[in-house]
């Protein structure tokens, strides 16, 4: 589940704002502190590419909502999805002070709605710059000087809750900074999703899971599509059945989450036929907010039937989004073009 | 002179694009790039305005440009990805709910910076579709389309985004004296070249400023009936009339058109496609005698014919014989050479004198040279039959009394090539002479010559006509002699002729022609557009325009040649009596065919035609009496006729065959 957000001065800047402090502006202020050559940061790699976030693969238990087994889905004729939501982040180390990195990050999220088969930005994208530093190492004078200059600050130490010696490793700082940036991005995505759901009655495709999004209600016309499968849900037989799904088949729906009332309904969908025997190729997992009645122990059959029909309908809509193919992205087999287009848009906004 | 409204800026509009530059594809002071929405009304040739965002010297820079290249691409990295997306089956019906992101990226060449200094690379900024005012600014027309001394001549309209902006040329750079001459090229068959010239002449006649003097046009109709119906109304569409209104040119045919054509070889009728009885009366015969032709003998005699010795004899004849009383002790009589017939009599007398004297030379001219020159000169009237008359009577263009805003069409379409060259050389020379003396009747003459690649070829013999065209191109503007030339392949025209044309128009071009070096300055997209231009579309280059501009012009308000020959079919070749009746009735409507038949019954055809020509030339009050008198006078035996039958001593020795000049 989500961790507590880091302490920061909450500045959210729209795209059109010209007052957003740039990395260069921030660097100018920090120059006496860092004594680094101007522009040196530009040659540094984004942390997102440098920091390895390898997690161990896992199989987690879940509660089935439908009878186990593959269900063939017929691709929809007309689109159901009206918009796509995604977020991006970029983090770079500007320099080091007292052994701790100063990380400049930009997070952004946007919804692109589809009008006449073309994608347009819904409302305005949200872009948030952030300087992640160790407040302890930086000292109060510099912290306030930066804050007074209008630079949104976040304390890397705020998420250091283990108290282990390894936490002072510069790479550990980097990893924590990156985690905080990810949380920032997720928060922007959640805010944007909540806004869509409150203003629109059309369907929104959210890239990634929705389990942390408490703003989504049962009537929300939004669903999440998870592309990575570090954790597979179900017992051994269920997982085998999932891996054996053929193109256009979905698994039985199940509940994901430790707390029942915060659990989301989910199912696997084989979006594209497996290639070279890779069982995860073309496999996505859909997350929706389940109707409360489904969570009851003695759920009526009609409610379940209706829920199954709902899952089938969404699956059919998701299958329709297989074209155009989101090549050249390496995740094309699970990445919808709409999401790819949002990513491209946001990368153009914040730079690569 | 009609006044056009001054272009004004339209209400503020939304930008249609944004300037974009990267390190790999930067903007320069002369080129910039911008992107637009995919449905933006922008294409090759569109004029745009860039509004910078950062003031330079407290002024927001504005840059005007014309689109010369366009690019479109999607977010695909490789075509293979699209193939994969469709499983390699283009016909597969795959539903695609979202269109791929697509970009329209354009490259524009700068037309103008405002302010001009400092000249900087085009700034980042918003791009707007140019309105009328912007178009005028971009093409620097603001310097000559307003004020009391305006010199704008509409050449067409520039169309973009539903707008129609007048495009005007500067008369000072079209007719002189700053620059002059116009050249138009394009493939045959679209009627663009002739139509454009006709339209432009109408525009010039309407808008040529009074403070720049008077202007007339001489058009050589060298093929078909294209220029034969300039005084007849043509068929115009509503769209054409709209353009005429917009450009302030009356949608009516030329008011003053004078036609000139030589006779056919038989001499019965004029050699023109404008021979329909309803129209033939407007055509004036173009006939020249010895004195008119001898001055341009060089046009018809090639270098092999005229060596130094022959040239000396021709000069002698021109200076001492023609038009004078010639007496020589050795000759049988006194000669007054006015015509080819007189000249032949003179030659016979000279040769007989030579034979009688047993000598080889007469006044230092060798007998062989004399025979050769006699042969060549006598041949002229045969080679140019219908144009050159034996009897010395001339019917010429009205040099000295040219009218303002009049078109003089010289129809030589059906005349032999030699005669065409002769007509062109003499008419242009006379125009030049009169313009030099300032007594032509007008201050400027536009000479329209089609098929320039034939008359002024890039390679080939250095003919008299080519030398004349080069002379006009290089020096004509100082005299007011302006060349409007047309050809299919510009690359085949002498580069000094096309190079001196201040204004150049291009219709649809052949792909092979576009591959020649002269078109290297054009972008591939502009070449592609040139290769597909429709009727009524032109690309214009003008000294004030820093880049070529595409315009549309209306159909000329005159009857096309094709329509003209359908509506006014050519009259059949008349008998001599019919021809004489028709011609004399122009002077006296009481003349009837029966009277003519009866009057000419006893005379030979050449005598009848010569008498007719004499009457037409002198235009007497009493036509019947004058015609009868001419017949009788011509029928009486002349001294040369008496010579021909008089007995004379035999030559002492025969001439060798090589003395006859080969």
């Amino acid at each position: 589940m989500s961790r507590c957000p880091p302490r920061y001065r909450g500045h959210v800047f729209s795209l059109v704002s010209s007052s957003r402090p740039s990395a260069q502006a921030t660097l100018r202020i920090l120059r006496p502190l860092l004594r680094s050559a101007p522009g040196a940061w530009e040659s540094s790699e984004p942390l997102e590419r440098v920091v390895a976030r390898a997690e161990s693969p896992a199989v987690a238990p879940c509660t089935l909502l439908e009878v186990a087994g593959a269900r063939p889905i017929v691709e929809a004729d007309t689109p159901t999805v009206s918009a796509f939501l995604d977020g991006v982040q970029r983090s770079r180390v500007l320099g080091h002070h007292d052994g701790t990195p100063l990380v400049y990050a930009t997070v952004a999220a946007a919804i692109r709605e589809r009008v006449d088969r073309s994608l347009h930005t819904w409302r305005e994208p949200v872009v948030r710059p952030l300087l992640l530093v160790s407040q302890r190492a930086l000292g109060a004078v510099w912290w306030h000087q930066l804050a007074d200059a209008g630079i949104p600050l976040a304390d890397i130490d705020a998420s250091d809750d283990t108290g282990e010696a390894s936490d002072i490793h510069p790479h550990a700082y980097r990893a924590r900074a990156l985690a905080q940036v990810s949380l920032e991005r997720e928060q922007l995505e959640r805010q944007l999703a909540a806004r869509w759901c409150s203003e629109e009655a059309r369907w929104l495709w959210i890239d990634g899971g929705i389990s942390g999004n408490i703003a989504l209600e049962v009537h929300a016309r939004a669903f999440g599509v998870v592309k990575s499968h570090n954790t597979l849900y179900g017992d051994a037989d269920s997982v085998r059945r999932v891996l054996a799904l053929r193109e256009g088949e979905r698994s039985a729906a199940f509940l994901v989450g430790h707390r029942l009332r915060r659990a989301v309904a989910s199912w696997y969908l084989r979006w594209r036929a497996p290639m070279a025997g890779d069982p995860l190729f073309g496999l996505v997992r859909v997350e929706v907010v389940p109707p409360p009645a489904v969570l009851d122990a003695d759920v009526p059959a009609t409610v379940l039937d209706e829920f199954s029909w709902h899952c089938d309908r969404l699956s059919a809509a998701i299958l329709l989004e297989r074209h155009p193919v989101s090549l050249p992205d390496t995740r094309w087999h699970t990445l919808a073009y709409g999401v790819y287009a949002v990513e491209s848009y946001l990368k153009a906004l914040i730079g690569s | 002179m009609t006044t056009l409204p001054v272009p004004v800026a339209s209400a503020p509009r939304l930008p249609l694009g944004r300037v974009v530059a990267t390190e790999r594809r930067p903007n320069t002071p002369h080129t910039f790039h911008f992107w637009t929405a995919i449905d933006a009304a922008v294409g090759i040739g569109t004029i745009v305005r860039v509004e910078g965002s950062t003031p330079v010297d407290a002024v927001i820079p504005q840059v005007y440009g014309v689109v010369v290249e366009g690019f479109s691409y999607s977010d695909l990295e490789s075509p293979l990805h699209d193939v994969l997306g469709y499983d390699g089956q283009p016909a597969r019906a795959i539903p695609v709910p979202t269109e791929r992101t697509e970009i329209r990226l354009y490259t524009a060449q700068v037309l103008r910076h405002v302010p001009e200094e400092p000249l900087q690379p085009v700034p980042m900024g918003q791009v707007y579709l140019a309105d009328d005012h912007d178009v005028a600014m971009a093409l620097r027309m603001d310097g000559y389309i307003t004020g009391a001394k305006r010199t704008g001549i509409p050449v067409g309209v520039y169309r973009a985004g539903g707008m129609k902006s007048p495009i005007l040329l500067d008369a000072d750079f079209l007719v002189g004296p700053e620059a002059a001459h116009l050249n138009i090229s394009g493939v045959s068959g679209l009627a663009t070249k002739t139509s454009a010239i006709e339209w432009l002449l109408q525009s010039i006649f309407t808008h040529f400023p009074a403070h720049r003097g008077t202007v007339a046009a001489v058009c050589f109709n060298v093929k078909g009936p294209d220029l034969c119906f300039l005084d007849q109304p043509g068929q115009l569409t509503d769209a054409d009339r709209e353009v005429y209104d917009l450009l302030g040119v009356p949608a009516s045919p030329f008011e003053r058109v004078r036609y000139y054509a030589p006779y056919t070889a038989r001499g019965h009728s004029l050699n023109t496609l404008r021979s329909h009885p309803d129209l033939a009366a407007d055509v004036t015969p173009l006939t020249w005698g010895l004195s008119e032709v001898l001055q341009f003998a060089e046009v018809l005699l090639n270098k092999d014919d005229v060596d130094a010795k022959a040239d000396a004899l021709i000069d002698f004849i021109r200076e001492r014989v023609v038009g004078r009383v010639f007496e020589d002790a050795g000759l049988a009589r006194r000669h007054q050479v006015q015509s080819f017939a007189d000249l032949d009599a003179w030659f016979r007398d000279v040769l007989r004198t030579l034979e009688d004297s047993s000598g080889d030379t007469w006044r230092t001219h060798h007998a062989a040279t004399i025979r050769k020159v006699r042969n060549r000169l006598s041949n002229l009237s045969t080679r140019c039959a219908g144009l050159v008359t034996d009897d010395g009577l001339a019917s010429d263009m009205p040099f000295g009394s040219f009218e303002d805003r009049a078109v003089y069409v010289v129809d030589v379409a059906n005349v032999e090539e030699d005669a065409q060259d002769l007509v062109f050389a003499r008419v242009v020379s006379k125009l030049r002479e009169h313009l030099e003396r300032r007594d032509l009747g007008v201050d400027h003459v536009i000479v329209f010559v089609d098929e320039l690649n034939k008359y002024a070829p890039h390679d080939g013999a250095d003919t008299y006509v080519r030398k004349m065209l080069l002379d006009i191109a290089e020096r004509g503007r100082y005299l007011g002699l302006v060349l409007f030339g047309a050809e299919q392949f510009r690359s085949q025209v002498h580069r000094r002729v096309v190079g001196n044309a201040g204004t150049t128009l291009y219709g649809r071009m052949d792909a092979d022609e576009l591959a020649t070096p002269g078109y290297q300055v054009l972008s591939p997209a502009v070449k592609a557009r040139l290769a597909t231009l429709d009727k009524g579309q032109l690309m214009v280059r003008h000294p004030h325009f820093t880049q070529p501009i595409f315009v549309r012009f209306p159909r000329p308000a005159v009857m096309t040649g094709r329509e003209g020959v359908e509506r006014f079919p050519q009259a059949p070749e008349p008998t001599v009596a019919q021809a004489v009746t028709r011609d004399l009735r122009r002077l006296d409507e009481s003349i009837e065919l029966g009277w003519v038949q009866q009057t000419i019954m006893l005379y030979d055809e050449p005598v009848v035609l010569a008498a007719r020509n004499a009457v037409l030339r002198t235009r007497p009050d009493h036509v019947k009496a004058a015609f009868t008198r001419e017949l009788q006078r011509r029928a009486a035996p002349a001294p040369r006729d008496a010579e021909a039958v008089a007995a004379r001593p035999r030559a002492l020795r025969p001439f060798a065959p090589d003395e006859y000049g080969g």
Side-chain angles (χ1 to χ4, degrees), chain B residues 270 280-285 581-589 616 619:
Chain B
L270 293 177
D282 297 337
V283 186
T284 304
T581 307
R582 189 191 61 199
D583 292 339
L584 295 185
R585 278 176 67 87
R586 289 187 215 164
L587 306 178
D588 182 354
E589 289 189 356
L616 290 177
R619 305 178 73 85

Side-chain angles (χ1 to χ4, degrees), chain B residues 187 507-511 514 525-534:
Chain B
V187 297
R508 185 190 296 179
M509 305 296 292
D510 183 85
L514 287 169
V526 171
K527 287 183 189 177
R529 183 160 182 200
L530 267 180
T532 55
L533 280 186
D534 205 354

Side-chain angles (χ1 to χ4, degrees), chain B residues 118-139:
Chain B
L119 184 59
Q120 294 185 336
V122 177
M124 299 303 115
Q126 292 182 320
V127 179
Y128 297 84
L129 199 64
D131 58 20
D132 288 358
H133 178 261
D134 292 331
V135 170
M137 288 292 290
L139 302 181

Side-chain angles (χ1 to χ4, degrees), chain B residues 58-334:
Chain B
V59 177
I60 292 286
Q62 297 204 335
V63 179
Y64 300 93
V66 59
V67 175
V68 296
E69 193 57 273
F71 306 91
S72 166
Y73 50 86
S74 71
D75 52 7
L76 278 170
E77 211 166 58
S78 159
L80 184 62
H81 295 158
D82 205 42
V83 175
L84 293 174
Y86 283 86
D87 285 345
Q89 300 170 47
R92 189 176 162 193
I94 294 177
V96 181
T98 309
E99 296 285 4
R100 276 193 181 280
T101 305
E102 186 181 341
I103 184 174
R104 291 279 193 277
L105 182 66
Y106 294 98
T107 301
Q109 296 280 2
V110 171
L111 289 163
R112 189 178 189 181
H113 287 263
V114 176
E116 308 267 1
E117 297 288 344
L119 184 59
Q120 294 185 336
V122 177
M124 299 303 115
Q126 292 182 320
V127 179
Y128 297 84
L129 199 64
D131 58 20
D132 288 358
H133 178 261
D134 292 331
V135 170
M137 288 292 290
L139 302 181
R140 297 165 198 275
M141 298 192 304
D142 53 318
Y144 59 88
I145 62 173
T146 55
K149 297 288 185 184
R150 65 174 71 96
T151 52
I153 306 286
V155 69
V157 291
Y158 156 81
R159 294 203 316 195
M163 289 193 318
K164 288 179 181 171
S165 304
I167 302 295
L168 288 84
L169 306 177
D170 186 350
D172 285 352
F173 287 77
L174 180 64
V175 181
E178 303 296 344
H181 314 308
L182 175 140
N183 184 269
I184 178 169
S185 1
V187 297
S188 294
L190 287 180
T192 297
K193 298 193 290 290
T194 309
S195 298
I197 294 292
E198 290 169 351
W199 147 251
L200 197 55
L201 285 178
Q202 285 176 308
S203 180
I204 291 171
F205 283 4
T206 307
H207 289 279
F208 192 71
H211 56 83
R212 289 289 189 268
T214 51
V215 62
V218 173
C219 300
F220 290 95
N221 187 50
V222 295
K223 59 173 185 183
D226 283 349
L227 299 172
C228 289
F229 306 98
L230 298 184
D231 56 344
Q232 300 297 317
Q235 291 180 345
L236 298 177
T237 63
D238 289 343
D240 291 326
R241 292 184 191 283
E242 191 183 331
V243 177
Y244 274 95
D245 288 345
L246 181 67
L247 300 180
V249 177
S252 54
F254 290 95
E255 288 178 12
R256 286 191 283 274
V257 190
R258 313 282 182 261
Y259 288 94
Y260 297 87
Y263 282 105
T264 60
R266 289 185 63 188
H268 290 189
S269 59
L270 293 177
N271 198 354
T272 175
L273 289 173
R274 190 184 165 92
S275 60
H276 189 275
D278 293 348
L279 304 178
D282 297 337
V283 186
T284 304
L286 190 69
T287 56
W288 294 331
L290 176 64
S291 60
E292 287 81 15
V293 173
L294 200 59
Q295 190 183 349
F296 301 95
E298 193 185 333
V299 179
L300 301 173
L301 304 177
N302 61 41
K303 284 180 179 170
D304 295 335
D305 285 334
V306 187
D307 55 15
K309 290 180 284 186
D311 200 31
L313 178 57
I314 292 171
D315 274 347
F316 175 81
I317 294 168
R318 191 185 292 145
E319 300 285 329
R320 303 281 299 276
V321 179
V322 175
R324 298 165 185 275
V325 175
F326 186 83
E327 289 183 290
D328 187 277
L331 296 185
R333 64 177 176 87
R334 196 172 67 168

Side-chain angles (χ1 to χ4, degrees), chain A residues 9 30 39 75 81 91-92 147 159 166 193-194 235 254 258 264 285 292 312 321 326 329 350:
Chain A
R9 295 165 66 109
L30 290 170
E75 183 180 283
V81 179
S91 317
R92 289 175 194 271
S159 57
S166 61
D235 55 20
F254 53 87
H258 301 297
V264 295
R285 184 166 61 81
D312 288 347
E321 301 295 336
S326 59
D329 198 294
I350 68 169

Side-chain angles (χ1 to χ4, degrees), chain B residues 474-512:
Chain B
E474 290 173 340
R475 283 171 284 278
R477 67 188 169 106
Y478 301 110
L479 301 171
L481 188 56
V482 182
L483 176 65
F484 278 19
E487 69 282 323
Q488 188 171 355
F489 303 118
R490 180 180 159 88
S491 63
Q492 293 178 7
V493 179
H494 199 291
R495 63 167 64 95
R496 279 159 57 199
V497 172
V498 292
N500 276 292
T503 303
T504 308
L505 309 179
Y506 301 84
R508 185 190 296 179
M509 305 296 292
D510 183 85
D512 288 344

Side-chain angles (χ1 to χ4, degrees), chain B residues 18 42 119 134 153 164 291 335 351 358 386 442 448 457 462 464 483 486 496 542 555 563 565 581 583 625:
Chain B
R18 292 185 61 82
V42 174
L119 184 59
D134 292 331
I153 306 286
K164 288 179 181 171
S291 60
H335 289 268
L351 289 170
S358 315
V442 291
F448 171 49
D462 191 16
Y464 190 90
L483 176 65
R496 279 159 57 199
H542 187 61
R555 251 175 276 230
E563 190 188 345
V565 292
T581 307
D583 292 339

